[in-house]
Amino acid sequence: MADVDQGSAVPTETSSPALDSLNNDTVSNGTDSVNATVAKFVSTPEGTALAYGSLVFMALLPIFFGALRSVSCSKSKNSSDMPETITSRDAARFPIIASCTLFGLYLFFKIFSQEYINLLLSMYFFVLGILALSHTMSPLMNRIFPANFPNKQYQLLFTQDSGENKEEIVNYEFDTKDLVCLCISSVVGVWYILKKHWIANNLFGLAFALNGVELLHLNNVSTGCILLGGLFVYDVFWVFGTNVMVTVAKSFEAPIKLVFPQDLLERGLEASNFAMLGLGDIVIPGIFIALLLRFDVSLKKNTRTYFYTSFLAYIFGLGLTIFVMHTFKHAQPALLYLVPACIGFPVVVALVKGELTEMFRYEESSPEPEAAQKEETESEKKEK
């Protein structure tokens, strides 16, 4: 999170390791840049409070609703809604891959033109943003449309070879409601490409974050601890140890952070002095919080103790990040505070309740084998 000029935000994305490696977990208040130039707008206390309060609120939305949707997603038989399971091996390699990608981007921006790189990135995120926002809107549209709405089914199928060697490359099923969502999302995408408006940026950012929390599943609590612990070290090193992340952050333009203007009260929707929060600060703790919600469901006690505990821990950690940032007037890696809070609070609760062993023994089974078995059964029936 940072008080920065437009376009100098720190990047993070959670839908792929490459983008996660940018990890906008950097928190900065931009004090040096404010002191360096008299012409720059100085935020009022009210504007700063509104900006940071709005960012915290926006960060909570994808975590809360993404976690709820992850429960139904884990039971889904639809291939388009299948979650991507993160194993302990994936979690251990993640910080290394992230570091290599971050440094690679740093070299790219040093060697090649920033303008052309950001043009390619804009088109890439334009497509991803439309798909993510469409997927996010789909359940809402299902409730809005009347029951008698003429909803036709479609299928997009790409195969290669023929006969016994025939292999599916793409098999995507959708309906008329999905097409409506896609059209609305495309309007937002064009708005973002043409204007780079902060509201369009936030719509894409929230969609990315919600989809990340919903579709990225940790297979157990130990894997979550490995992932968060590794990124804790990664974040502290790249923020305090080098200027690589800051350089990439100032060069990278993409809707992979949430922003809110601190001068909104003075300049309205045309405000340009932004505070920001990277999506990595949302999705990384968010997938761990979603895992604890699914653990709560598995206990079958009709309580959500660990989910609410970790959710409140996230609020505490993010609030502490903002407090330390303003107290010491220095950039802060948010995971430095979020990781101990999100892991520590639920572990303490589990110790008190005597469920620590049960928590760490909880293992999620991937739905993919079930889907494969179902497809195999249907194939056998057709042959008969």
Side-chain angles (χ1 to χ4, degrees), residues 266-291:
E266 292 78 15
R267 300 181 181 178
L269 295 179
E270 298 304 318
S272 59
N273 185 34
F274 292 106
M276 56 150 285
L277 177 67
L279 297 192
D281 298 333
I282 301 172
V283 178
I284 298 302
I287 60 177
F288 186 75
I289 294 172
L291 171 67

mmCIF file with all atom_site columns, all heavy atoms in Angstrom, residues 266-291:
data_model
loop_
_atom_site.group_PDB
_atom_site.id
_atom_site.type_symbol
_atom_site.label_atom_id
_atom_site.label_alt_id
_atom_site.label_comp_id
_atom_site.label_asym_id
_atom_site.label_entity_id
_atom_site.label_seq_id
_atom_site.pdbx_PDB_ins_code
_atom_site.Cartn_x
_atom_site.Cartn_y
_atom_site.Cartn_z
_atom_site.occupancy
_atom_site.B_iso_or_equiv
_atom_site.pdbx_formal_charge
_atom_site.auth_seq_id
_atom_site.auth_comp_id
_atom_site.auth_asym_id
_atom_site.auth_atom_id
_atom_site.pdbx_PDB_model_num
ATOM 1   N N   . GLU A 1 266 ? -11.236 16.418  -2.512  1.00 0.00 ? 266 GLU A N   1
ATOM 2   C CA  . GLU A 1 266 ? -10.925 17.702  -3.138  1.00 0.00 ? 266 GLU A CA  1
ATOM 3   C C   . GLU A 1 266 ? -11.133 17.687  -4.646  1.00 0.00 ? 266 GLU A C   1
ATOM 4   O O   . GLU A 1 266 ? -11.574 18.682  -5.228  1.00 0.00 ? 266 GLU A O   1
ATOM 5   C CB  . GLU A 1 266 ? -9.463  18.091  -2.856  1.00 0.00 ? 266 GLU A CB  1
ATOM 6   C CG  . GLU A 1 266 ? -9.166  18.428  -1.398  1.00 0.00 ? 266 GLU A CG  1
ATOM 7   C CD  . GLU A 1 266 ? -9.021  17.193  -0.520  1.00 0.00 ? 266 GLU A CD  1
ATOM 8   O OE1 . GLU A 1 266 ? -8.857  16.075  -1.081  1.00 0.00 ? 266 GLU A OE1 1
ATOM 9   O OE2 . GLU A 1 266 ? -9.084  17.331  0.710   1.00 0.00 ? 266 GLU A OE2 1
ATOM 10  N N   . ARG A 1 267 ? -10.847 16.542  -5.307  1.00 0.00 ? 267 ARG A N   1
ATOM 11  C CA  . ARG A 1 267 ? -10.836 16.504  -6.766  1.00 0.00 ? 267 ARG A CA  1
ATOM 12  C C   . ARG A 1 267 ? -11.858 15.548  -7.375  1.00 0.00 ? 267 ARG A C   1
ATOM 13  O O   . ARG A 1 267 ? -11.934 15.423  -8.597  1.00 0.00 ? 267 ARG A O   1
ATOM 14  C CB  . ARG A 1 267 ? -9.440  16.128  -7.257  1.00 0.00 ? 267 ARG A CB  1
ATOM 15  C CG  . ARG A 1 267 ? -8.375  17.118  -6.807  1.00 0.00 ? 267 ARG A CG  1
ATOM 16  C CD  . ARG A 1 267 ? -7.003  16.734  -7.314  1.00 0.00 ? 267 ARG A CD  1
ATOM 17  N NE  . ARG A 1 267 ? -5.976  17.667  -6.860  1.00 0.00 ? 267 ARG A NE  1
ATOM 18  C CZ  . ARG A 1 267 ? -4.671  17.541  -7.123  1.00 0.00 ? 267 ARG A CZ  1
ATOM 19  N NH1 . ARG A 1 267 ? -4.244  16.512  -7.824  1.00 0.00 ? 267 ARG A NH1 1
ATOM 20  N NH2 . ARG A 1 267 ? -3.816  18.425  -6.681  1.00 0.00 ? 267 ARG A NH2 1
ATOM 21  N N   . GLY A 1 268 ? -12.600 14.848  -6.545  1.00 0.00 ? 268 GLY A N   1
ATOM 22  C CA  . GLY A 1 268 ? -13.627 13.952  -7.058  1.00 0.00 ? 268 GLY A CA  1
ATOM 23  C C   . GLY A 1 268 ? -13.038 12.770  -7.815  1.00 0.00 ? 268 GLY A C   1
ATOM 24  O O   . GLY A 1 268 ? -11.935 12.302  -7.509  1.00 0.00 ? 268 GLY A O   1
ATOM 25  N N   . LEU A 1 269 ? -13.758 12.306  -8.840  1.00 0.00 ? 269 LEU A N   1
ATOM 26  C CA  . LEU A 1 269 ? -13.341 11.107  -9.574  1.00 0.00 ? 269 LEU A CA  1
ATOM 27  C C   . LEU A 1 269 ? -12.086 11.328  -10.418 1.00 0.00 ? 269 LEU A C   1
ATOM 28  O O   . LEU A 1 269 ? -11.495 10.375  -10.921 1.00 0.00 ? 269 LEU A O   1
ATOM 29  C CB  . LEU A 1 269 ? -14.483 10.621  -10.473 1.00 0.00 ? 269 LEU A CB  1
ATOM 30  C CG  . LEU A 1 269 ? -15.748 10.124  -9.750  1.00 0.00 ? 269 LEU A CG  1
ATOM 31  C CD1 . LEU A 1 269 ? -16.810 9.692   -10.751 1.00 0.00 ? 269 LEU A CD1 1
ATOM 32  C CD2 . LEU A 1 269 ? -15.417 8.977   -8.804  1.00 0.00 ? 269 LEU A CD2 1
ATOM 33  N N   . GLU A 1 270 ? -11.683 12.574  -10.582 1.00 0.00 ? 270 GLU A N   1
ATOM 34  C CA  . GLU A 1 270 ? -10.468 12.867  -11.346 1.00 0.00 ? 270 GLU A CA  1
ATOM 35  C C   . GLU A 1 270 ? -9.231  12.916  -10.449 1.00 0.00 ? 270 GLU A C   1
ATOM 36  O O   . GLU A 1 270 ? -8.167  13.367  -10.879 1.00 0.00 ? 270 GLU A O   1
ATOM 37  C CB  . GLU A 1 270 ? -10.632 14.205  -12.084 1.00 0.00 ? 270 GLU A CB  1
ATOM 38  C CG  . GLU A 1 270 ? -11.761 14.219  -13.100 1.00 0.00 ? 270 GLU A CG  1
ATOM 39  C CD  . GLU A 1 270 ? -11.618 13.120  -14.139 1.00 0.00 ? 270 GLU A CD  1
ATOM 40  O OE1 . GLU A 1 270 ? -10.481 12.892  -14.615 1.00 0.00 ? 270 GLU A OE1 1
ATOM 41  O OE2 . GLU A 1 270 ? -12.630 12.481  -14.474 1.00 0.00 ? 270 GLU A OE2 1
ATOM 42  N N   . ALA A 1 271 ? -9.359  12.490  -9.207  1.00 0.00 ? 271 ALA A N   1
ATOM 43  C CA  . ALA A 1 271 ? -8.236  12.504  -8.266  1.00 0.00 ? 271 ALA A CA  1
ATOM 44  C C   . ALA A 1 271 ? -7.101  11.628  -8.789  1.00 0.00 ? 271 ALA A C   1
ATOM 45  O O   . ALA A 1 271 ? -7.321  10.676  -9.545  1.00 0.00 ? 271 ALA A O   1
ATOM 46  C CB  . ALA A 1 271 ? -8.709  12.012  -6.901  1.00 0.00 ? 271 ALA A CB  1
ATOM 47  N N   . SER A 1 272 ? -5.866  11.950  -8.368  1.00 0.00 ? 272 SER A N   1
ATOM 48  C CA  . SER A 1 272 ? -4.710  11.248  -8.929  1.00 0.00 ? 272 SER A CA  1
ATOM 49  C C   . SER A 1 272 ? -3.635  10.890  -7.904  1.00 0.00 ? 272 SER A C   1
ATOM 50  O O   . SER A 1 272 ? -2.617  10.311  -8.266  1.00 0.00 ? 272 SER A O   1
ATOM 51  C CB  . SER A 1 272 ? -4.075  12.102  -10.028 1.00 0.00 ? 272 SER A CB  1
ATOM 52  O OG  . SER A 1 272 ? -3.663  13.354  -9.509  1.00 0.00 ? 272 SER A OG  1
ATOM 53  N N   . ASN A 1 273 ? -3.850  11.227  -6.628  1.00 0.00 ? 273 ASN A N   1
ATOM 54  C CA  . ASN A 1 273 ? -2.844  10.912  -5.599  1.00 0.00 ? 273 ASN A CA  1
ATOM 55  C C   . ASN A 1 273 ? -3.287  9.660   -4.850  1.00 0.00 ? 273 ASN A C   1
ATOM 56  O O   . ASN A 1 273 ? -4.089  9.728   -3.921  1.00 0.00 ? 273 ASN A O   1
ATOM 57  C CB  . ASN A 1 273 ? -2.690  12.091  -4.639  1.00 0.00 ? 273 ASN A CB  1
ATOM 58  C CG  . ASN A 1 273 ? -1.594  11.873  -3.633  1.00 0.00 ? 273 ASN A CG  1
ATOM 59  O OD1 . ASN A 1 273 ? -0.574  11.237  -3.928  1.00 0.00 ? 273 ASN A OD1 1
ATOM 60  N ND2 . ASN A 1 273 ? -1.790  12.375  -2.425  1.00 0.00 ? 273 ASN A ND2 1
ATOM 61  N N   . PHE A 1 274 ? -2.765  8.500   -5.267  1.00 0.00 ? 274 PHE A N   1
ATOM 62  C CA  . PHE A 1 274 ? -3.340  7.231   -4.849  1.00 0.00 ? 274 PHE A CA  1
ATOM 63  C C   . PHE A 1 274 ? -2.596  6.558   -3.696  1.00 0.00 ? 274 PHE A C   1
ATOM 64  O O   . PHE A 1 274 ? -1.369  6.564   -3.657  1.00 0.00 ? 274 PHE A O   1
ATOM 65  C CB  . PHE A 1 274 ? -3.379  6.249   -6.023  1.00 0.00 ? 274 PHE A CB  1
ATOM 66  C CG  . PHE A 1 274 ? -4.343  6.647   -7.098  1.00 0.00 ? 274 PHE A CG  1
ATOM 67  C CD1 . PHE A 1 274 ? -3.868  7.151   -8.290  1.00 0.00 ? 274 PHE A CD1 1
ATOM 68  C CD2 . PHE A 1 274 ? -5.701  6.513   -6.921  1.00 0.00 ? 274 PHE A CD2 1
ATOM 69  C CE1 . PHE A 1 274 ? -4.746  7.515   -9.292  1.00 0.00 ? 274 PHE A CE1 1
ATOM 70  C CE2 . PHE A 1 274 ? -6.576  6.877   -7.912  1.00 0.00 ? 274 PHE A CE2 1
ATOM 71  C CZ  . PHE A 1 274 ? -6.116  7.392   -9.102  1.00 0.00 ? 274 PHE A CZ  1
ATOM 72  N N   . ALA A 1 275 ? -3.377  5.962   -2.805  1.00 0.00 ? 275 ALA A N   1
ATOM 73  C CA  . ALA A 1 275 ? -2.880  4.943   -1.884  1.00 0.00 ? 275 ALA A CA  1
ATOM 74  C C   . ALA A 1 275 ? -3.197  3.602   -2.540  1.00 0.00 ? 275 ALA A C   1
ATOM 75  O O   . ALA A 1 275 ? -4.153  3.491   -3.315  1.00 0.00 ? 275 ALA A O   1
ATOM 76  C CB  . ALA A 1 275 ? -3.565  5.050   -0.530  1.00 0.00 ? 275 ALA A CB  1
ATOM 77  N N   . MET A 1 276 ? -2.397  2.579   -2.268  1.00 0.00 ? 276 MET A N   1
ATOM 78  C CA  . MET A 1 276 ? -2.603  1.319   -2.971  1.00 0.00 ? 276 MET A CA  1
ATOM 79  C C   . MET A 1 276 ? -2.319  0.110   -2.094  1.00 0.00 ? 276 MET A C   1
ATOM 80  O O   . MET A 1 276 ? -1.619  0.203   -1.086  1.00 0.00 ? 276 MET A O   1
ATOM 81  C CB  . MET A 1 276 ? -1.718  1.262   -4.202  1.00 0.00 ? 276 MET A CB  1
ATOM 82  C CG  . MET A 1 276 ? -0.256  1.462   -3.916  1.00 0.00 ? 276 MET A CG  1
ATOM 83  S SD  . MET A 1 276 ? 0.786   0.586   -5.072  1.00 0.00 ? 276 MET A SD  1
ATOM 84  C CE  . MET A 1 276 ? 0.590   -1.065  -4.465  1.00 0.00 ? 276 MET A CE  1
ATOM 85  N N   . LEU A 1 277 ? -2.895  -0.992  -2.510  1.00 0.00 ? 277 LEU A N   1
ATOM 86  C CA  . LEU A 1 277 ? -2.663  -2.281  -1.857  1.00 0.00 ? 277 LEU A CA  1
ATOM 87  C C   . LEU A 1 277 ? -2.539  -3.345  -2.930  1.00 0.00 ? 277 LEU A C   1
ATOM 88  O O   . LEU A 1 277 ? -3.432  -3.513  -3.759  1.00 0.00 ? 277 LEU A O   1
ATOM 89  C CB  . LEU A 1 277 ? -3.823  -2.620  -0.912  1.00 0.00 ? 277 LEU A CB  1
ATOM 90  C CG  . LEU A 1 277 ? -3.742  -3.977  -0.205  1.00 0.00 ? 277 LEU A CG  1
ATOM 91  C CD1 . LEU A 1 277 ? -2.565  -3.996  0.779   1.00 0.00 ? 277 LEU A CD1 1
ATOM 92  C CD2 . LEU A 1 277 ? -5.043  -4.276  0.526   1.00 0.00 ? 277 LEU A CD2 1
ATOM 93  N N   . GLY A 1 278 ? -1.408  -4.064  -2.948  1.00 0.00 ? 278 GLY A N   1
ATOM 94  C CA  . GLY A 1 278 ? -1.180  -5.090  -3.960  1.00 0.00 ? 278 GLY A CA  1
ATOM 95  C C   . GLY A 1 278 ? -2.043  -6.321  -3.739  1.00 0.00 ? 278 GLY A C   1
ATOM 96  O O   . GLY A 1 278 ? -2.386  -6.676  -2.609  1.00 0.00 ? 278 GLY A O   1
ATOM 97  N N   . LEU A 1 279 ? -2.404  -6.975  -4.827  1.00 0.00 ? 279 LEU A N   1
ATOM 98  C CA  . LEU A 1 279 ? -3.263  -8.161  -4.736  1.00 0.00 ? 279 LEU A CA  1
ATOM 99  C C   . LEU A 1 279 ? -2.587  -9.308  -3.998  1.00 0.00 ? 279 LEU A C   1
ATOM 100 O O   . LEU A 1 279 ? -3.261  -10.176 -3.445  1.00 0.00 ? 279 LEU A O   1
ATOM 101 C CB  . LEU A 1 279 ? -3.664  -8.627  -6.142  1.00 0.00 ? 279 LEU A CB  1
ATOM 102 C CG  . LEU A 1 279 ? -4.492  -7.651  -6.980  1.00 0.00 ? 279 LEU A CG  1
ATOM 103 C CD1 . LEU A 1 279 ? -5.046  -8.360  -8.205  1.00 0.00 ? 279 LEU A CD1 1
ATOM 104 C CD2 . LEU A 1 279 ? -5.619  -7.018  -6.177  1.00 0.00 ? 279 LEU A CD2 1
ATOM 105 N N   . GLY A 1 280 ? -1.264  -9.345  -3.991  1.00 0.00 ? 280 GLY A N   1
ATOM 106 C CA  . GLY A 1 280 ? -0.570  -10.391 -3.242  1.00 0.00 ? 280 GLY A CA  1
ATOM 107 C C   . GLY A 1 280 ? -0.847  -10.311 -1.757  1.00 0.00 ? 280 GLY A C   1
ATOM 108 O O   . GLY A 1 280 ? -0.858  -11.327 -1.060  1.00 0.00 ? 280 GLY A O   1
ATOM 109 N N   . ASP A 1 281 ? -1.077  -9.094  -1.245  1.00 0.00 ? 281 ASP A N   1
ATOM 110 C CA  . ASP A 1 281 ? -1.405  -8.919  0.168   1.00 0.00 ? 281 ASP A CA  1
ATOM 111 C C   . ASP A 1 281 ? -2.813  -9.397  0.492   1.00 0.00 ? 281 ASP A C   1
ATOM 112 O O   . ASP A 1 281 ? -3.190  -9.496  1.658   1.00 0.00 ? 281 ASP A O   1
ATOM 113 C CB  . ASP A 1 281 ? -1.288  -7.438  0.557   1.00 0.00 ? 281 ASP A CB  1
ATOM 114 C CG  . ASP A 1 281 ? 0.118   -6.901  0.384   1.00 0.00 ? 281 ASP A CG  1
ATOM 115 O OD1 . ASP A 1 281 ? 1.064   -7.693  0.468   1.00 0.00 ? 281 ASP A OD1 1
ATOM 116 O OD2 . ASP A 1 281 ? 0.260   -5.688  0.135   1.00 0.00 ? 281 ASP A OD2 1
ATOM 117 N N   . ILE A 1 282 ? -3.600  -9.639  -0.543  1.00 0.00 ? 282 ILE A N   1
ATOM 118 C CA  . ILE A 1 282 ? -4.977  -10.098 -0.368  1.00 0.00 ? 282 ILE A CA  1
ATOM 119 C C   . ILE A 1 282 ? -5.081  -11.600 -0.626  1.00 0.00 ? 282 ILE A C   1
ATOM 120 O O   . ILE A 1 282 ? -5.602  -12.351 0.198   1.00 0.00 ? 282 ILE A O   1
ATOM 121 C CB  . ILE A 1 282 ? -5.924  -9.340  -1.319  1.00 0.00 ? 282 ILE A CB  1
ATOM 122 C CG1 . ILE A 1 282 ? -5.850  -7.834  -1.052  1.00 0.00 ? 282 ILE A CG1 1
ATOM 123 C CG2 . ILE A 1 282 ? -7.355  -9.848  -1.170  1.00 0.00 ? 282 ILE A CG2 1
ATOM 124 C CD1 . ILE A 1 282 ? -6.595  -6.998  -2.071  1.00 0.00 ? 282 ILE A CD1 1
ATOM 125 N N   . VAL A 1 283 ? -4.565  -12.043 -1.762  1.00 0.00 ? 283 VAL A N   1
ATOM 126 C CA  . VAL A 1 283 ? -4.776  -13.424 -2.192  1.00 0.00 ? 283 VAL A CA  1
ATOM 127 C C   . VAL A 1 283 ? -3.960  -14.416 -1.364  1.00 0.00 ? 283 VAL A C   1
ATOM 128 O O   . VAL A 1 283 ? -4.470  -15.480 -0.992  1.00 0.00 ? 283 VAL A O   1
ATOM 129 C CB  . VAL A 1 283 ? -4.456  -13.575 -3.685  1.00 0.00 ? 283 VAL A CB  1
ATOM 130 C CG1 . VAL A 1 283 ? -4.630  -15.021 -4.126  1.00 0.00 ? 283 VAL A CG1 1
ATOM 131 C CG2 . VAL A 1 283 ? -5.356  -12.677 -4.505  1.00 0.00 ? 283 VAL A CG2 1
ATOM 132 N N   . ILE A 1 284 ? -2.691  -14.075 -1.068  1.00 0.00 ? 284 ILE A N   1
ATOM 133 C CA  . ILE A 1 284 ? -1.845  -15.024 -0.337  1.00 0.00 ? 284 ILE A CA  1
ATOM 134 C C   . ILE A 1 284 ? -2.427  -15.347 1.047   1.00 0.00 ? 284 ILE A C   1
ATOM 135 O O   . ILE A 1 284 ? -2.623  -16.521 1.383   1.00 0.00 ? 284 ILE A O   1
ATOM 136 C CB  . ILE A 1 284 ? -0.399  -14.493 -0.224  1.00 0.00 ? 284 ILE A CB  1
ATOM 137 C CG1 . ILE A 1 284 ? 0.220   -14.326 -1.613  1.00 0.00 ? 284 ILE A CG1 1
ATOM 138 C CG2 . ILE A 1 284 ? 0.451   -15.430 0.626   1.00 0.00 ? 284 ILE A CG2 1
ATOM 139 C CD1 . ILE A 1 284 ? 0.257   -15.587 -2.438  1.00 0.00 ? 284 ILE A CD1 1
ATOM 140 N N   . PRO A 1 285 ? -2.737  -14.335 1.880   1.00 0.00 ? 285 PRO A N   1
ATOM 141 C CA  . PRO A 1 285 ? -3.415  -14.680 3.140   1.00 0.00 ? 285 PRO A CA  1
ATOM 142 C C   . PRO A 1 285 ? -4.826  -15.213 2.894   1.00 0.00 ? 285 PRO A C   1
ATOM 143 O O   . PRO A 1 285 ? -5.326  -16.043 3.662   1.00 0.00 ? 285 PRO A O   1
ATOM 144 C CB  . PRO A 1 285 ? -3.455  -13.345 3.898   1.00 0.00 ? 285 PRO A CB  1
ATOM 145 C CG  . PRO A 1 285 ? -2.443  -12.472 3.238   1.00 0.00 ? 285 PRO A CG  1
ATOM 146 C CD  . PRO A 1 285 ? -2.433  -12.895 1.803   1.00 0.00 ? 285 PRO A CD  1
ATOM 147 N N   . GLY A 1 286 ? -5.474  -14.731 1.809   1.00 0.00 ? 286 GLY A N   1
ATOM 148 C CA  . GLY A 1 286 ? -6.854  -15.115 1.548   1.00 0.00 ? 286 GLY A CA  1
ATOM 149 C C   . GLY A 1 286 ? -7.038  -16.599 1.290   1.00 0.00 ? 286 GLY A C   1
ATOM 150 O O   . GLY A 1 286 ? -8.021  -17.196 1.747   1.00 0.00 ? 286 GLY A O   1
ATOM 151 N N   . ILE A 1 287 ? -6.109  -17.225 0.562   1.00 0.00 ? 287 ILE A N   1
ATOM 152 C CA  . ILE A 1 287 ? -6.264  -18.656 0.290   1.00 0.00 ? 287 ILE A CA  1
ATOM 153 C C   . ILE A 1 287 ? -6.049  -19.480 1.560   1.00 0.00 ? 287 ILE A C   1
ATOM 154 O O   . ILE A 1 287 ? -6.597  -20.587 1.697   1.00 0.00 ? 287 ILE A O   1
ATOM 155 C CB  . ILE A 1 287 ? -5.316  -19.122 -0.841  1.00 0.00 ? 287 ILE A CB  1
ATOM 156 C CG1 . ILE A 1 287 ? -3.853  -18.884 -0.491  1.00 0.00 ? 287 ILE A CG1 1
ATOM 157 C CG2 . ILE A 1 287 ? -5.672  -18.443 -2.143  1.00 0.00 ? 287 ILE A CG2 1
ATOM 158 C CD1 . ILE A 1 287 ? -2.874  -19.392 -1.545  1.00 0.00 ? 287 ILE A CD1 1
ATOM 159 N N   . PHE A 1 288 ? -5.269  -18.938 2.497   1.00 0.00 ? 288 PHE A N   1
ATOM 160 C CA  . PHE A 1 288 ? -5.092  -19.627 3.783   1.00 0.00 ? 288 PHE A CA  1
ATOM 161 C C   . PHE A 1 288 ? -6.354  -19.493 4.633   1.00 0.00 ? 288 PHE A C   1
ATOM 162 O O   . PHE A 1 288 ? -6.792  -20.458 5.286   1.00 0.00 ? 288 PHE A O   1
ATOM 163 C CB  . PHE A 1 288 ? -3.886  -19.043 4.521   1.00 0.00 ? 288 PHE A CB  1
ATOM 164 C CG  . PHE A 1 288 ? -3.532  -19.775 5.793   1.00 0.00 ? 288 PHE A CG  1
ATOM 165 C CD1 . PHE A 1 288 ? -2.899  -21.009 5.747   1.00 0.00 ? 288 PHE A CD1 1
ATOM 166 C CD2 . PHE A 1 288 ? -3.831  -19.236 7.035   1.00 0.00 ? 288 PHE A CD2 1
ATOM 167 C CE1 . PHE A 1 288 ? -2.571  -21.687 6.913   1.00 0.00 ? 288 PHE A CE1 1
ATOM 168 C CE2 . PHE A 1 288 ? -3.513  -19.900 8.206   1.00 0.00 ? 288 PHE A CE2 1
ATOM 169 C CZ  . PHE A 1 288 ? -2.884  -21.138 8.147   1.00 0.00 ? 288 PHE A CZ  1
ATOM 170 N N   . ILE A 1 289 ? -6.956  -18.326 4.624   1.00 0.00 ? 289 ILE A N   1
ATOM 171 C CA  . ILE A 1 289 ? -8.210  -18.097 5.358   1.00 0.00 ? 289 ILE A CA  1
ATOM 172 C C   . ILE A 1 289 ? -9.323  -18.963 4.778   1.00 0.00 ? 289 ILE A C   1
ATOM 173 O O   . ILE A 1 289 ? -10.139 -19.541 5.509   1.00 0.00 ? 289 ILE A O   1
ATOM 174 C CB  . ILE A 1 289 ? -8.583  -16.606 5.305   1.00 0.00 ? 289 ILE A CB  1
ATOM 175 C CG1 . ILE A 1 289 ? -7.543  -15.775 6.070   1.00 0.00 ? 289 ILE A CG1 1
ATOM 176 C CG2 . ILE A 1 289 ? -9.978  -16.368 5.885   1.00 0.00 ? 289 ILE A CG2 1
ATOM 177 C CD1 . ILE A 1 289 ? -7.704  -14.274 5.910   1.00 0.00 ? 289 ILE A CD1 1
ATOM 178 N N   . ALA A 1 290 ? -9.358  -19.089 3.435   1.00 0.00 ? 290 ALA A N   1
ATOM 179 C CA  . ALA A 1 290 ? -10.368 -19.941 2.789   1.00 0.00 ? 290 ALA A CA  1
ATOM 180 C C   . ALA A 1 290 ? -10.182 -21.401 3.177   1.00 0.00 ? 290 ALA A C   1
ATOM 181 O O   . ALA A 1 290 ? -11.160 -22.143 3.357   1.00 0.00 ? 290 ALA A O   1
ATOM 182 C CB  . ALA A 1 290 ? -10.285 -19.772 1.272   1.00 0.00 ? 290 ALA A CB  1
ATOM 183 N N   . LEU A 1 291 ? -8.933  -21.830 3.297   1.00 0.00 ? 291 LEU A N   1
ATOM 184 C CA  . LEU A 1 291 ? -8.657  -23.204 3.733   1.00 0.00 ? 291 LEU A CA  1
ATOM 185 C C   . LEU A 1 291 ? -9.221  -23.452 5.129   1.00 0.00 ? 291 LEU A C   1
ATOM 186 O O   . LEU A 1 291 ? -9.812  -24.511 5.401   1.00 0.00 ? 291 LEU A O   1
ATOM 187 C CB  . LEU A 1 291 ? -7.146  -23.460 3.730   1.00 0.00 ? 291 LEU A CB  1
ATOM 188 C CG  . LEU A 1 291 ? -6.679  -24.784 4.357   1.00 0.00 ? 291 LEU A CG  1
ATOM 189 C CD1 . LEU A 1 291 ? -7.140  -25.968 3.517   1.00 0.00 ? 291 LEU A CD1 1
ATOM 190 C CD2 . LEU A 1 291 ? -5.162  -24.803 4.515   1.00 0.00 ? 291 LEU A CD2 1
#
